[in-house]
Amino acid sequence: MNWTLPIFNSKVARRILLSFVLAALIPILLLGGLSYRQVETQLRGQTGKALQRSCKDYAYGLVGRLIFLDKSLRMAAMRLEQAGPSRGGAAVGEEIRQWLQGQFADLVLVGPNGATLSPAADAGEVPELGEQELKLVGAGKTFIGAAANRSGSYSLWMAVNLVENRPEAGILMVELKPEQLWEAENIDPNNLLWIMNAASRQLLFASEPEYGLPADARDRLAQLNSDQFDWQIGNETYLTASWKLPVGNLFAGSDLVIVQSQPAAVAFAGMRQFREIYPPVTALALLVVIYLSMRMIGKYLTPLASLKAATQDIAAGNFDTRVLIDSRDEFETLADSFNAMTQRLRGQFDLLEAMAEIDRTILSALNAGDIIEIVLNRLPGILGCEMIAIADIDPVHLALGNIRVRSGGQAVELSQEPLFLEQQDFTGLLEAGIQLLALEPNRPAPSAYLQRLRGEGAWQYLIVPVAINGALAALLCLGYKAPNTISAEARQAAADFADRIAVALSNAAWEEKLYRQAHYDPLTDLPNRLVLHDRLQQELDRARRDESQVAVFFLDLDRFKNINDSLGHTAGDELLAQAARIFLQCVRKTDLVVRMGGDEFVIVLSDLHQHGNPAGFVTTIAEKILAAIQRTLVVAGLPVKIGSSLGIAMFPGDADNVEDLLKNADAAMYHAKSEGRGVFRFYSPELNAAALENIKLEHELREAVSRQELLVYYQPKVDWNGRIVGAEALIRWQHAELGMVSPAKFIPLAEQTGLIVEISDWVLEQACLWVKFCHQQGFEPLRVSVNLSAIDFKRSDLVEKVAAVLHSTGIDPCWLELELTESVVIGDVASCVARMQQLKDLGLTLSMDDFGTGFSSLSYLKQLPLDVLKIDQSFVRQLDTDDSSEAIVRAILALAEGLGMETIAEGVENQQQVDFLKQQHCAFFQGYLYSRPLPANEFLRSLQSGAGRTEPERTLTG
């Protein structure tokens, strides 16, 4: 076959050519690169070893020359000794000096103390001989040292005793001749040579003076015995090796470092020929590969070009295209398969096009009924069936309903009469899957469903179940009248359409579920704030049109947080669900009840123009809600009584838009809370100012600790004799502008915002520091109690925090008492007992504050590791006027005595109350009869005076 395809017009041809070229080029380049790298590495290693060996050989030669010069110097010293005192001594005779200068560059005589006796002839520097050097020379060692000469370089000097074994005779020191000492005859002329003093880093010799050794290189060389490295001198790289000559082993002097460098161009000269030959050889191999590749491409790519052209025709919609290839190989087989595939695609393309159109319709339709209607109208034309039916299935009642039938191109008929199935029929539909049933004219139908659908004559029915998540949801039935039959393609298409119907039904159910999740609260099944804003806006628009009014209630549950913290979140959820049902029962079906979040609800009352007195109707509904929510509910098996605070804002009087209406109703609700809870209040403009004041107060409370505005007051606890035996730490806020802020105002705010945790930690630390201070001042130990809220008690790090404060302040734990409220022990009693026992293990005292006012149970009380019961002041204050209060106090004191607990009565205001409490054996008293809460310094003055009581304030607030 001739190749007619231009290579540059075919991407495949270019890719194949590129693949062949890369397949040949990559190994060649890789092998060449690796070889080049290997040879370079070997040459570098060989050069380094040769340089190091040359350094070592040079060092051996240098040692030999130094030994020879040492012997010559000692011979000179002997001659000087033989010259006698008249010719030796402090001066050297001219004859001997001339003889020495033939051997050495210069000489000097040095006294036994290191002082120079005769100066050097060339006026250069002479090495100084320190005490150590003089000692070594005196011991017979030869000294070798370096000193600067007049040229600015360094010379090497050698010194020995002038008279052997007589150090007092002086020292003979000579300068060694550089040309004799540093001769480098055996060194490669291409190499550079340096000699360096290892101790002083002084460069003693350089074969090329213009090339010096950098300071960092000198430090590195001085520290190593031998080394190999590269460095850059100018624009040329040098391979360098060194070897340290241990001069100190033979002479008294520093070691010398021998360094040699060779240009990389000299070391790698053998690589130059390789670089010159390698590129032409690579180019020749590449040309051969290109030639052979083009031959192969020309032979095998032409059939692929024919297939490509045919594929493009099919993509353009021309299914009559045929590929004719006569190559008697795999390409011819591929062409035949391609032609067969084209014929099959032509038969299926129309079906796929129609199904795609239905898919788009299914995806764009949100109503499942509309989707089923489209299937009923389009499917007969696609599959060629005479009848199609779709029925909904109720799996609970085993019934088929909403049976839609379309026959012979007629309109769709809907039968809403349910058709009940037997259990085995229902189960068989799901288990059998797609079924093909043939019905003869005179034979009964196998099921009531087909009996309702069958027509005259012989029919074939294709039953296709529609399942969603394994559950039967609908039934699709296709009917073909004889002699028409159901093809395999029709069966598969029916199954595909059943899947599409399942997806459509599932999407519709999912859309409904998503809408429910997005717009309804899952706990109470009430609409959420999204529905509220939309619905309320509609009601406002309608009220404007009808000139009517709309009322908005904003509610939250009183003391819900206490129940949620005490009984747990599950109990809180149960309470919210019950409250939602109560609210729904109190309003009309047309009214809207919404859960905003947490324990907050909103109720919208519309169509108020239908009532003659809209305000009276709104008031009636509000009273009905508050009365209904105040009844006792059972939560987590316990009787719970809660209430609700309710704020009301009216449209259009209070606001004319959704945001302001909700904001004003919220403000009215907080106003109702501030007036005692369990009431409702209508909005008034003054409430916004109060809300802003609360926001400001919260902000200032956050900064009160850092501004040192919070104070700790102490209220004494006394015994029967009026002697102060303890105190309770109470928080006070001395505001910079407002003065003393009541705890009743800022403590609830601190609990709502979570600041109570930070404040409690601060009070605990201040109380412990005050106890420590009192003990240091010599007062008798007093036990101080600190209040602990339910929020503090639930903290996981409570025990560690208390232990840390005790450790940091260093007080004995027995002088610290923690007062707990009854709400902390409601719910998980076991965990509460465990937490309390951990606190007891620290050595603390635990007391129950305000006993009798909360949710206490005697079964709980006997389990708690308490030491003290505090009788709430609400019972103590009514002892004079209320018999039931007397009975309660008697019972509490008897209970505490039976459980072995101490008792304290708080809120004692008169002597009659004291007398009654003493009769009932109450141990300790606290109240305004004895003292109001005092600043720390005033409390100390009370202790110093020894008075049992201070002047009480007449007002009982604070």
Side-chain angles (χ1 to χ4, degrees), residues 529-751:
R529 64 176 63 241
L530 294 177
V531 177
L532 171 65
H533 281 258
D534 183 57
R535 175 78 178 274
L536 184 54
Q537 185 61 54
Q538 295 177 17
E539 294 297 341
L540 296 185
D541 294 340
R542 191 155 63 92
R544 289 189 185 94
R545 184 185 66 239
D546 298 339
E547 297 183 355
S548 179
Q549 292 179 305
V550 175
V552 174
F553 290 4
F554 207 109
L555 311 88
D556 79 348
L557 304 181
D558 297 335
R559 294 180 296 278
F560 172 76
K561 182 173 179 56
N562 292 338
I563 297 174
N564 202 37
D565 292 341
S566 302
L567 301 182
H569 294 289
T570 302
D573 292 346
E574 181 182 348
L575 178 59
L576 291 173
Q578 292 190 43
R581 290 192 291 271
I582 292 173
F583 294 150
L584 287 172
Q585 294 168 1
C586 294
V587 299
R588 302 166 298 178
K589 291 184 178 181
T590 56
D591 297 327
L592 178 66
V593 181
V594 174
R595 183 190 176 198
M596 294 291 287
D599 63 333
E600 293 182 338
F601 296 83
V602 170
I603 298 176
V604 178
L605 304 182
S606 56
D607 297 327
L608 298 183
H609 62 284
Q610 299 177 0
H611 300 273
N613 183 5
F617 175 74
V618 169
T619 300
T620 301
I621 296 296
E623 292 173 346
K624 181 179 179 182
I625 291 173
L626 294 180
I629 199 65
Q630 286 177 356
R631 68 171 181 258
T632 301
L633 305 176
V634 178
V635 178
L638 297 174
V640 173
K641 189 171 184 180
I642 64 169
S644 177
S645 299
L646 191 153
I648 305 173
M650 301 291 293
F651 170 86
D654 296 330
D656 61 354
N657 59 75
V658 172
E659 289 75 14
D660 291 343
L661 204 57
L662 292 173
K663 181 185 69 175
N664 293 341
D666 189 18
M669 184 267 292
Y670 275 103
H671 180 56
K673 274 185 174 294
S674 67
E675 294 194 353
R677 303 175 183 264
V679 297
F680 70 92
R681 289 292 181 266
F682 283 89
Y683 169 77
S684 63
E686 292 78 11
L687 296 181
N688 278 339
L692 291 175
E693 181 184 355
N694 281 338
I695 294 174
K696 180 181 178 182
L697 193 64
E698 176 185 345
H699 174 72
E700 293 176 344
L701 180 59
R702 294 183 181 275
E703 299 180 354
V705 176
S706 60
R707 293 178 178 174
Q708 298 182 348
E709 293 180 353
L710 294 183
L711 306 173
V712 179
Y713 278 40
Y714 299 91
Q715 186 172 28
K717 299 177 183 179
V718 302
D719 59 11
W720 282 31
N721 299 319
R723 185 174 58 90
I724 298 176
V725 294
E728 179 180 1
L730 300 170
I731 186 71
R732 293 294 184 266
W733 183 7
Q734 182 66 45
H735 194 281
E737 299 177 358
L738 303 178
M740 190 68 73
V741 181
S742 171
K745 188 172 185 179
F746 72 84
I747 290 296
L749 186 62
E751 292 179 344

Side-chain angles (χ1 to χ4, degrees), residues 336-512:
D336 294 340
S337 300
F338 183 86
N339 294 332
M341 179 190 68
T342 302
Q343 292 180 355
R344 188 176 184 85
L345 286 175
R346 183 176 183 180
Q348 294 182 351
F349 188 81
D350 294 337
L351 175 62
L352 294 176
E353 185 179 9
M355 291 178 68
E357 183 180 354
I358 293 179
D359 282 344
R360 289 192 298 272
T361 306
I362 290 175
L363 292 175
S364 62
L366 297 178
N367 191 324
D370 294 341
I371 297 171
I372 293 175
E373 192 72 22
I374 293 170
V375 173
L376 290 171
N377 292 330
R378 297 295 304 275
L379 205 56
I382 296 173
L383 301 182
C385 58
E386 284 79 12
M387 186 276 299
I388 180 172
I390 299 178
D392 299 337
I393 291 182
D394 182 359
V396 177
H397 300 94
L398 304 180
L400 278 71
N402 294 327
I403 303 174
R404 305 167 185 84
V405 182
R406 188 169 187 266
S407 301
Q410 302 297 320
V412 176
E413 298 178 1
L414 174 62
S415 175
Q416 295 183 335
E417 181 182 355
L419 183 62
F420 294 95
L421 302 177
E422 298 294 334
Q423 179 65 48
Q424 59 271 21
D425 294 337
F426 188 84
T427 305
L429 285 172
L430 187 59
E431 294 178 351
I434 300 177
Q435 301 180 65
L436 179 61
L437 302 176
L439 297 183
E440 299 297 330
N442 299 324
R443 298 185 61 181
S447 67
Y449 175 60
L450 291 180
Q451 183 63 36
R452 180 176 294 189
L453 298 179
R454 74 179 300 175
E456 297 180 357
W459 285 78
Q460 280 189 336
Y461 294 99
L462 186 65
I463 308 298
V464 183
V466 178
I468 299 177
N469 297 327
L472 200 59
L475 202 63
L476 171 64
C477 179
L478 304 180
Y480 291 81
K481 191 173 183 179
N484 295 332
T485 58
I486 302 176
S487 63
E489 289 81 1
R491 297 186 62 172
Q492 183 59 45
D496 292 341
F497 275 105
D499 292 340
R500 285 163 171 76
I501 294 174
V503 170
L505 295 175
S506 178
N507 285 347
W510 183 249
E511 288 285 341
E512 176 64 23

Side-chain angles (χ1 to χ4, degrees), residues 99-146:
W99 179 82
L100 287 173
Q101 288 180 347
Q103 297 279 342
F104 306 101
D106 202 352
L107 64 95
V108 295
L109 290 178
V110 180
N113 59 354
T116 302
L117 301 178
S118 62
D122 60 357
E125 294 183 6
V126 177
E128 294 183 3
L129 296 179
E131 181 180 350
Q132 181 68 22
E133 287 79 6
L134 291 173
K135 185 177 180 181
L136 291 172
V137 173
K141 294 277 285 189
T142 301
F143 169 75
I144 295 179

